[in-house]
């Protein structure tokens, strides 16, 4: 079972692992003084760049492997080390490098990619503004073309237009990809990206670029975030990253994509890689927290029967209930996120929208799970969990922003729902009246079939733990949310409500719809792993799958009962199965965290040193 | 409405408020360097002591007010300032001072209380050990009486016996109340408390006392926690805090309480004040987080209908759902905790056990709510919430341990359940067969009455928002959990299972039982406030009560549906009421956080400065 979660891309994985064993990567070097920590993080990033890890996602021509899924593996491994380093790495090579690669053209690649991959040019990804985080389309920074000088003027028209929380900005960044409203010859062409120098090699700011340190943050204090303001900064015309929109000498704008809306979403879509990598990094932190909490729980004793040795705390049903479903979650998201990574790496244009929705949804669900899991692990280790030395402090603080950056989860879940609803509308729109009637009749029949008392009341272990029941329940929930929100939205819009306000009325339902979708996809991936598992690990993986799926249904039992999909007795039986699976999996809990494969020297918590 | 939550003990409240306005209490003085921060916290504590605030809970003879509920008010106000200061204050005056006061006798009071209240003797409360946090009865530190020298020898028999996380230990404490197993004349009398000097006035350790700094913690870095080991330290016989157990010169042990078990619980019971004060401090942090998040949400705009001004984020149904039930929770716990504080202050011996259970349960429920609320508020402020300047970082980190200290919540909830079950057994035990039959018949009739389709299907707003329905639902849940766990435990024990293992099988159900109990008590207190509210605030308070109670039922709808207490349509109607109440209360949200009465200078977050 040892390499169950780490058999992919062993080349990159081993390279990172070996590198992190270098004494230069000693975690004890981390300082609580953010200035010292920031320099350490830069130094570590340089060591990674020197080994060619900065170029993984770039073409071979620029020293890379042209493989996004390998970049994701590097992210997964680096996150076991330190999360400030991970984010610094992601800012430099993923965001700054990635934006030049995906939004620029060959001239930009030739000029910059090598220097980015080797960290010769530290840079920033300057999208978010103080006034606009989620709503990127309405950013205020402007880029006005000056035909006479063949330059763009980059400008922040007020404090709300300052670029906010920009990694690498406070200390190290020399250039930035700046997102701004492109204006030329009196026309506004919307958001485009520009390469803007912000700092000289001696560390001083470029004239008319004002940078303010974001100061102390909740976590990730090894990353130098800052605000950047541009006061009419002129850059050459060539600094427009012009893959999706170019301006010629005279100022004429051209784009391979005519629709401004589609152009905007295509540009942003190329940057979705962050939404694949970030949750994987968060999941590594989750695994580290679980490793510590489970190992501790398997040794720590407290209370017990009179006159006997105290009880191991993992033997307490409450403790099993706290940790084991979270352990199952970590496996579930591991399988789902690696599926996403492969699909993203090999995506065709036709699949792009589906994969973007999947990335947005999985990023959200998985990072929420990260926050919840690390919290529970901290609490499950009591006062020991509160001491800095036992590692939860940094894991918690550093990952807390994962639910916000690369897209606020609540906003992303609305996007996922909209994408699903668009599919639903497409399907529905194709139908004529008789097809719609047949669809509704089929759906009603399925529901009658599934809601038959024989099914809603079945409580046998065999039934509850069958792939058939689990898949049917997850699919029912997904389809029910989709069709009920879809129908209800449709009728609101038909009755004259504008689509913005109609959606507003269904915001909370949209989140349920998106969750149901991601849960169904995650179950499918877990099922695949179970089906193809080797004999010796089949049982434990099926137990884990069952625990994950049944505790998911249990947490949402109000919904299933409300719908009449299950009856009270079945709901109670599901709860009992969860209890039994927790008790059963307890025996394998340590082996299951060992299988995360985190190097011993990275688990420094004294509470798990024997 | 302005002093709705702050009309009690205005004298203490105003004193603290005025004091905190002193420039000496400037929050900008807080340093990220823990050594500087620790000295600042000590200095602040001295300023409070100089104003007589250290003595509030002590008798007038020692400069105090002899009023625990006033101490709680001071705690509530101080927590609005800084939580490291709060905990330093609690360690010095509540734990160190409180243990001398409650466990000692007049000779100890005369000798120490004045010096403790004025901070002349900084001290520690050394109960927890590395090996034993929750299980206090099995602490390893020993106190052996030496009749020849009339001394006790305090000793830590190994690393697991070191006193752990002790506040004031790493730097400032000169003495400590040490809990140890008292042994005299070859007999073991269980846990008792002793005053042990640990540090000389020059700051050096006493001979044979070894202190290790706990170092950096997740939060509360202004408190100097440490480990203390005793290597056969001798103290005079008089240093035994001998209210509940004394040793005479010859070494003979006497106690006013014969049963060792009852003696142990009586001693611990006198220290329950911490479980009253700590959740109030946590609630103040919760209020501060809500104040920032609600004010921000009422001004921040993001996205919107095409061509219109962007939407205020509090107008988003998702945002209302995130913040408003949490706002209602804060009010609910405010009323419940102040009820607890009054009952604790005026308790009679007969009520002690009930109030201890109430304190344990409310401490748990309220501090879990603190962790959850601050987390949601941070996320609801997006990236802004992650910057140190916007205050969530410290609120989150500092309160994270509240679910653990003063008793781990999961353990406390088991104690609550045991106390409730003991009551149940007492009631049940008194009955003869015909009474038991009548009880069961009555209960069955109530259930039939309440589970009548007319009731389980009623969905009118008038019904759902009636005190009658809410009270009946909360009471049903409490009684159902109590009788089902009680009956099931009883039959397990009758069939030969030992009580330790029988309880183990019901651990998870016990948590539900305790929650249901605390929820019912909380609802009762909220009801009382609504019933006695003045006309102008009646409506908003009733809306808040309804939101709190209905979202509580909604969160547990799986249970109520499983039980057949409500049907699907009623469950859906409850969800709709929650939506409507959120939308309605949104208009009063800012006024409701203003009513928390937090001084302007303590809300420093730039995101809510206009």
């Amino acid at each position: 079972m040892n390499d169950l979660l780490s058999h992919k891309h062993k080349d990159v994985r081993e390279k990172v692992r070996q590198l992190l064993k270098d004494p230069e990567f000693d975690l004890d070097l981390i300082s609580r003084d953010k200035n010292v920590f920031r320099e350490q993080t830069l130094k570590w990033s340089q060591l990674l760049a020197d080994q060619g890890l900065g170029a993984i996602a770039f073409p071979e021509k620029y020293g890379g492997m042209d493989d996004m899924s390998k970049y994701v593996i590097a992210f997964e491994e680096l996150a076991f080390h330190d999360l400030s380093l991970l984010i610094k790495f992601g800012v430099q090579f993923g965001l700054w490098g990635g934006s030049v690669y995906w939004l620029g053209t060959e001239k930009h690649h030739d000029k910059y990619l090598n220097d980015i991959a080797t960290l010769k040019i530290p840079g920033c990804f300057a999208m978010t503004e103080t006034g606009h985080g989620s709503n990127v389309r309405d950013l205020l920074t402007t880029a006005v073309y000056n035909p006479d000088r063949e330059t763009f003027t980059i400008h922040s028209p007020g404090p709300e237009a300052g670029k906010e929380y920009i990694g690498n900005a406070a200390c190290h960044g020399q250039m930035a990809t700046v997102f701004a409203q492109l204006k030329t010859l009196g026309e506004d062409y919307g958001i485009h990206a520009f390469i803007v120098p912000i700092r000289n090699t001696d560390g001083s700011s470029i004239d008319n670029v004002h940078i303010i340190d974001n100061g102390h943050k909740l976590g990730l204090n090894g990353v130098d975030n800052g605000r950047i303001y541009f006061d009419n900064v002129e850059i050459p015309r060539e600094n427009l990253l012009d893959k999706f929109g170019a301006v010629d000498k005279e100022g004429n704008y051209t784009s391979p994509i005519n629709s401004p809306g589609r152009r905007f979403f295509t540009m942003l879509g190329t940057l979705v890689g962050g939404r694949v990598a970030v949750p994987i990094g968060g999941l590594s932190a989750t695994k580290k927290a679980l490793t510590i909490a489970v190992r501790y729980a398997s040794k720590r004793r407290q209370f017990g029967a009179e006159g006997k040795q105290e009880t191991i705390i993992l033997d307490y049903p409450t403790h099993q209930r706290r940790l084991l479903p979270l352990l199952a979650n970590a496996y579930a998201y591991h399988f789902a996120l690696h599926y996403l990574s492969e699909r993203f790496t090999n995506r065709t244009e036709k699949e792009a929208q589906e994969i973007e929705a999947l990335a947005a949804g999985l990023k959200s669900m998985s990072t929420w799970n990260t926050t919840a899991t690390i919290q529970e692990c901290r609490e499950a280790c009591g006062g020991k969990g509160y001491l800095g030395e036992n590692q939860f402090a940094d894991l918690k603080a550093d990952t807390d922003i994962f639910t916000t950056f690369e897209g606020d989860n609540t906003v992303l879940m609305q996007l996922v729902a909209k994408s699903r609803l668009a599919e639903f509308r497409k399907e529905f729109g194709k139908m004529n009246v008789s097809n719609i009637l047949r669809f509704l009749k089929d759906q009603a029949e399925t529901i009658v079939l599934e809601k038959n008392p024989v099914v809603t009341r079945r409580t046998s272990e065999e039934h509850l733990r069958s792939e058939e029941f689990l898949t049917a329940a997850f699919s029912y929930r997904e389809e029910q949310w989709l069709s009920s929100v879809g129908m209800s939205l449709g009728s609101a819009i038909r009755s004259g409500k504008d689509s913005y306000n109609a959606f507003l009325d269904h915001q909370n339902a949209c989140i349920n719809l998106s969750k149901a979708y991601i849960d169904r996809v995650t179950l499918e991936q877990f099922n695949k792993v179970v089906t193809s598992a080797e004999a010796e690990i089949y049982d434990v993986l099926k137990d884990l799958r069952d625990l994950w799926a049944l505790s998911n249904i249990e947490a949402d039992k109000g919904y299933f009962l409300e719908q009449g999909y299950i009856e009270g007795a079945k709901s109670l039986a599901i709860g009992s199965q969860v209890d039994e699976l927790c008790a059963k999996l307890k025996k394998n809990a340590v082996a299951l965290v060992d299988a995360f494969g985190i190097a011993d020297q990275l688990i420094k918590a004294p509470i798990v040193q024997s």
Side-chain angles (χ1 to χ4, degrees), chain A:
Chain A
M1 191 155 86
N2 276 346
D3 68 347
L4 175 66
L5 304 189
S6 56
H7 57 279
K8 259 195 316 193
H9 298 319
K10 288 225 169 189
D11 53 339
V12 172
R13 209 179 282 278
E14 276 308 313
K15 188 167 192 173
V16 177
R17 284 186 185 176
Q18 285 308 319
L19 191 55
L20 294 181
K21 282 185 190 161
D22 190 312
E24 293 271 14
F25 280 92
D26 187 350
L27 283 177
D28 291 335
L29 291 173
I30 289 184
S31 167
R32 298 286 153 201
D33 177 331
K34 76 174 179 333
N35 299 321
V36 178
F37 191 8
R38 285 168 171 187
E39 294 312 312
Q40 182 60 46
T41 312
L42 179 67
K43 203 179 137 204
W44 279 340
S45 300
Q46 188 63 62
L47 293 170
L48 298 175
D50 292 347
Q51 295 297 316
L53 290 168
I56 300 178
F58 301 159
E60 288 174 24
K61 188 177 166 187
Y62 307 105
M65 305 180 185
D66 207 4
D67 189 336
M68 183 64 195
S69 74
K70 290 193 174 184
Y71 174 82
V72 166
I73 295 293
F75 229 69
E76 181 173 277
E77 288 288 330
L78 280 173
F80 290 138
H81 182 268
D82 173 71
L83 294 159
S84 283
L85 170 63
L86 180 81
I87 299 307
K88 188 92 170 173
F89 180 88
V91 164
Q92 172 68 19
F93 308 114
L95 292 174
W96 157 233
S99 57
V100 172
Y101 178 42
W102 290 104
L103 302 177
T105 47
E106 203 173 359
K107 61 180 178 290
H108 303 110
H109 301 167
D110 289 346
K111 186 166 179 189
Y112 296 109
L113 283 187
N114 269 321
D115 287 350
I116 293 173
T118 57
L119 201 50
K120 201 174 152 195
I121 308 181
C124 309
F125 180 83
M127 179 186 271
T128 299
E129 295 178 357
T130 302
H132 289 94
S134 296
N135 184 4
V136 172
R137 208 201 288 232
D138 286 346
L139 292 173
L140 298 175
T141 304
T142 52
V144 179
Y145 185 63
N146 314 297
D148 49 338
R149 298 188 298 281
E150 288 187 37
T151 62
F152 286 100
T153 299
I154 307 292
H155 185 62
S156 321
E160 292 291 294
K163 294 295 180 184
E164 181 72 272
Y165 328 121
I166 307 304
N168 259 347
C171 304
H172 305 132
Q174 292 172 18
M175 293 191 164
T177 296
V178 176
F179 289 79
Q181 306 286 356
L182 189 161
K183 294 169 202 280
T184 178
L185 306 181
E187 289 287 323
D188 191 334
Y189 291 94
I191 293 296
H192 286 70
F194 302 82
I195 294 180
V196 186
I198 59 166
R199 201 176 259 115
N200 302 302
T201 45
D202 69 2
S204 60
S205 295
I206 296 278
D207 287 347
N208 298 332
V209 174
H210 306 287
I211 301 175
I212 294 174
D213 194 329
N214 271 140
H216 179 81
K217 304 188 299 291
L218 201 162
L220 297 178
N221 281 301
V223 184
D224 55 320
N225 294 80
R227 297 189 180 104
I228 314 177
Y229 301 89
F230 301 98
D231 181 7
N232 291 300
V233 175
E234 274 196 52
I235 56 167
R237 184 177 64 95
E238 293 75 32
N239 285 21
L240 167 62
L241 293 168
D242 58 355
K243 184 165 179 187
F244 299 105
V247 171
D248 70 13
K249 285 186 186 181
E250 288 73 31
N252 302 300
Y253 180 85
T254 51
S255 168
I257 304 172
N258 284 328
S259 149
R262 207 157 64 79
R263 188 190 309 139
F264 174 73
F265 285 112
T266 305
M267 284 172 62
L268 290 198
T270 61
L271 305 171
V272 165
R275 290 193 188 144
V276 180
V278 152
I280 295 251
L283 183 60
S284 292
T286 315
K287 290 171 180 172
K288 200 164 166 180
L290 282 165
T291 301
I292 298 168
V294 167
R295 287 185 188 166
Y296 179 66
S298 73
K299 289 187 177 174
R300 171 78 172 179
R301 294 174 182 276
Q302 202 75 182
F303 294 110
E306 194 99 14
K308 298 214 173 137
Q309 194 179 20
E310 288 180 284
T311 306
I312 293 222
I313 60 176
L314 194 55
D315 285 340
Y316 286 109
T318 43
H319 218 75
Q320 293 165 12
R321 271 278 187 172
R322 293 171 81 171
L323 294 183
L324 291 167
L326 298 176
L327 182 57
N329 287 355
Y331 272 78
Y333 287 118
H334 179 93
F335 301 136
L337 286 168
H338 280 275
Y339 161 72
L340 169 66
S341 165
E342 290 303 323
R343 288 208 58 192
F344 179 75
T345 303
N346 305 307
R347 70 195 179 284
T348 61
E349 206 174 316
K350 207 175 141 233
E351 298 173 308
Q353 280 197 314
E354 182 210 340
I355 292 170
E356 280 168 36
L358 192 60
L362 263 172
K363 183 269 181 185
S364 303
M365 298 283 282
S366 168
T367 55
W368 272 325
N369 179 65
T370 288
T371 301
T373 302
I374 299 175
Q375 181 67 37
E376 194 66 53
C377 289
R378 193 304 281 160
E379 293 183 31
C381 293
K384 297 280 197 314
Y386 199 65
L387 299 182
E389 63 185 25
N390 288 320
Q391 302 190 281
F392 297 108
D394 288 332
L395 291 171
K396 247 174 73 77
D398 291 344
T399 57
D400 199 77
I401 196 64
F402 282 43
T403 56
T404 301
F405 68 12
E406 285 289 348
D408 175 89
N409 284 2
T410 304
V411 175
L412 290 183
M413 291 295 264
Q414 299 298 320
L415 296 184
V416 176
K418 283 183 184 169
S419 154
R420 301 304 294 162
L421 287 162
E423 287 296 311
F424 175 79
R425 217 164 33 238
K426 235 188 280 172
E427 287 302 306
F428 224 77
K430 275 190 231 149
M431 299 183 196
N432 57 28
V433 175
S434 76
N435 280 341
I436 290 182
L437 289 176
R438 190 173 314 132
F439 167 83
L440 292 174
K441 185 165 158 283
D442 283 357
Q443 208 188 34
E445 275 172 5
T446 314
I447 288 173
V448 168
L449 200 70
E450 292 193 9
K451 286 190 181 170
N452 179 307
V454 179
V455 179
T456 57
R457 291 181 189 163
R458 277 183 75 183
T459 57
S460 73
E461 176 177 319
E462 191 199 345
H463 167 67
L464 295 177
R465 295 186 51 188
S466 66
E467 186 177 314
E468 186 197 354
F469 163 66
L470 299 172
T471 303
F474 277 57
S475 299
Y476 169 83
R477 179 171 56 183
E478 180 187 11
E479 284 159 25
Q480 191 277 331
W481 276 117
L482 186 59
S483 61
S484 73
V485 176
M487 301 283 193
S488 162
L489 261 177
S491 84
I493 290 170
R494 274 193 303 280
S495 72
K497 200 150 202 170
D498 64 291
S499 107
Y500 177 78
N501 282 298
F503 261 106
L504 222 54
D505 292 341
H506 293 82
Q507 267 203 320
N508 287 306
C510 279
I511 290 187
N512 291 326
L513 185 169
S514 304
K515 279 185 179 165
Y517 161 60
I518 296 298
D519 282 341
R520 191 262 304 159
V521 173
T522 304
L523 178 64
E524 275 175 8
Q525 296 313 309
F526 215 144
N527 286 343
K528 264 197 237 164
V529 173
V530 171
T531 305
S532 61
E534 287 166 34
E536 57 176 332
I537 55 168
Y538 176 87
D539 285 347
V540 66
L541 280 175
K542 181 174 178 307
D543 286 348
L544 262 188
R545 192 274 318 267
D546 294 349
L547 176 58
W548 177 74
L550 288 170
S551 56
N552 181 298
I553 294 175
E554 189 192 39
D556 206 14
K557 67 184 180 184
Y559 166 81
F560 286 105
L561 287 158
E562 219 166 52
Q563 290 286 318
Y565 191 82
I566 58 174
E567 294 194 10
K570 187 164 184 168
S571 177
L572 288 165
I574 289 169
S576 301
Q577 283 297 323
V578 172
D579 287 337
E580 280 177 35
L581 284 162
C582 283
K584 196 173 168 201
L585 278 163
K586 170 196 81 176
K587 300 177 191 79
N588 286 306
V590 171
L592 285 165
V593 298
D594 288 350
F596 291 148
I598 307 175
D600 285 343
Q601 83 268 21
L602 300 180
I603 305 291
K604 299 211 151 204
I607 48 169
V608 293
Q609 307 307 324
S610 46

